[in-house]
Amino acid sequence: MDKGTKRMKPSKVKWQLEDYFGENLLENEPLSKHTSFRIGGVADYFLIANTPDKLIGGINRAKKLGLGYFVLGGGSNILVGDNGFRGLVIKNECKEYFCEDEYITAQSGALLNDIVDLSAEHSLSGLEFAAGIWGTMGGAICGNAGAFGGSISELLGKAVVYDIKGDISIVDKDYFHFGYRRSALKESKELLLSVTLKLRKGNRSEIKGLIDRHRSIRTERHPIDIPSAGSFFKNFKNPAVSGMKTAAGWYLEQIGARDFRVGDAGVFKKHSNMFVNHGNAKASDVIRLAAELKRRVLDKFGLNLQMEVMPVGDFGEYTELLKFIRL
């Protein structure tokens, strides 16, 4: 969770940011407009960056002014606090990509689904598992997105990173220390600029058929027309079954999670590990809902569910309850 840092005098910050970014800078921008959950308070400042130079410039300017910052991709898999974000949110709109032989290179703001379609157009196999996954390539790498037995880390060849020293480096897969739904980017605050994926030649009709099947399954089981952040709790290795990966949704199902609702935050009727916004849900509603479900699974099974969705911003009085959900 990134709350940003102590604010400078608003007039001074605003003047210096506007002087640098001009009309690309917005003030008091509702983050609910930019997340798949449609939840969250305002960002003090909001920058739309459509080139790597603007992304890097946003980070450097925030550091120079002592502002907290957060780079926002597609807005899925995150929960923004009701009190918003104190600092600068940088919206990554760098979306260029191209294919060469068995390689696809994409900027970090490119939509993962667009890259899936590109792979099919060029008869390249390997990305079929990602069909229907929300978000950007940057978010996919940061959270090691995966489904249907595949994960993005398996395909990564090289990446371009703007590191904490302010250098641009070309790195390989090992640099990210991938794990289940995680990478080193989640803690390092380094900026991913682009990636190159290594795929393999395949049969175009078979590739498209598998992509269509995966999207059909997601359409059937996942909330498509209702705001959601995706799977809320991580799946985990269960020592009771030889450490095999176990779906958090199964345990949530056993405690009747689908009938739970707090305010306008509820559990999706077709998937117990997905929360939805029925209209005007607040982050506090989601946190209270998640805490109650976590307590019930813990009491019944002795299992400690951990939050997969990333919290962003200021959660006010619900910060402590949020810590309980994350641990």
Side-chain angles (χ1 to χ4, degrees):
M1 179 176 55
D2 194 339
K3 294 183 180 180
T5 56
K6 186 177 179 180
R7 298 181 69 183
M8 298 172 61
K9 292 182 179 180
S11 58
K12 183 178 180 180
V13 171
K14 181 180 179 181
W15 178 82
Q16 293 193 51
L17 288 174
E18 286 184 337
D19 182 61
Y20 192 80
F21 297 115
E23 62 183 13
N24 287 321
L25 183 75
L26 303 175
E27 189 177 8
N28 296 321
E29 177 70 2
L31 293 175
S32 58
K33 292 168 52 177
H34 302 279
T35 68
S36 62
F37 224 158
R38 297 293 183 262
I39 289 174
V42 303
D44 291 339
Y45 306 101
F46 187 90
L47 172 67
I48 298 173
N50 55 16
T51 68
D53 284 346
K54 288 180 181 177
L55 275 176
I56 293 171
I59 290 174
N60 289 342
R61 184 60 44 160
K63 288 180 177 179
K64 183 175 181 179
L65 295 176
L67 286 175
Y69 67 88
F70 177 76
V71 178
L72 176 68
S76 61
N77 203 233
I78 66 172
L79 176 66
V80 178
D82 295 324
N83 294 343
F85 188 86
R86 305 281 71 78
L88 176 66
V89 172
I90 307 166
K91 180 70 169 68
N92 185 352
E93 291 284 351
C94 301
K95 297 183 176 182
E96 294 186 7
Y97 52 80
F98 66 89
C99 180
E100 184 175 5
D101 297 326
E102 296 182 347
Y103 296 89
I104 290 179
T105 297
Q107 291 183 327
S108 53
L111 296 178
L112 185 56
N113 265 305
D114 287 348
I115 306 305
V116 171
D117 289 337
L118 180 69
S119 70
E121 290 171 12
H122 289 268
S123 302
L124 295 176
S125 181
L127 263 177
E128 294 91 337
F129 73 87
I133 294 180
W134 304 325
T136 62
M137 183 58 68
I141 295 295
C142 183
N144 193 15
F148 301 107
S151 63
I152 199 71
S153 60
E154 298 167 359
L155 305 174
L156 183 62
K158 299 291 183 180
V160 180
V161 173
Y162 181 67
D163 63 31
I164 56 177
K165 296 180 181 179
D167 298 323
I168 296 177
S169 305
I170 298 175
V171 301
D172 59 18
K173 172 182 174 178
D174 293 339
Y175 183 85
F176 296 96
H177 300 287
F178 286 112
Y180 176 70
R181 300 296 178 264
R182 67 166 301 279
S183 75
L185 292 178
K186 283 198 170 184
E187 288 79 35
S188 70
K189 297 206 67 164
E190 294 176 314
L191 175 64
L192 181 70
L193 295 175
S194 67
V195 301
T196 297
L197 305 180
K198 173 65 168 69
L199 304 175
R200 59 186 181 276
K201 284 292 183 179
N203 181 282
R204 182 180 299 185
S205 63
E206 291 179 0
I207 292 169
K208 286 187 174 181
L210 188 53
I211 287 172
D212 289 343
R213 285 197 294 275
H214 287 170
R215 283 181 173 152
S216 178
I217 290 171
R218 285 187 170 274
T219 299
E220 172 62 27
R221 299 178 182 175
H222 294 188
I224 302 300
D225 300 321
I226 310 173
S228 172
S231 295
F232 193 87
F233 290 109
K234 296 178 182 179
N235 294 332
F236 56 93
K237 292 182 178 179
N238 190 345
V241 287
S242 303
M244 294 179 62
K245 193 72 70 178
T246 306
W250 186 87
Y251 293 94
L252 292 165
E253 184 74 18
Q254 305 313 301
I255 62 164
R258 296 188 194 192
D259 295 326
F260 280 71
R261 179 166 171 166
V262 176
D264 267 358
V267 178
F268 186 50
K269 293 299 182 182
K270 296 181 180 180
H271 197 309
S272 292
N273 195 24
M274 289 192 174
F275 300 169
V276 294
N277 178 358
H278 288 290
N280 296 299
K282 298 180 179 179
S284 57
D285 297 333
V286 175
I287 291 171
R288 288 188 293 148
L289 173 65
E292 180 61 26
L293 294 176
K294 175 169 179 167
R295 288 192 186 101
R296 296 202 178 206
V297 169
L298 185 61
D299 289 344
K300 185 169 184 176
F301 297 103
L303 295 173
N304 187 48
L305 299 181
Q306 291 182 312
M307 186 175 176
E308 178 175 327
V309 171
M310 179 188 298
V312 176
D314 186 351
F315 289 81
E317 63 182 295
Y318 291 93
T319 300
E320 289 302 314
L321 193 57
L322 176 63
K323 289 180 181 179
F324 166 70
I325 301 168
R326 298 188 73 192
L327 296 177

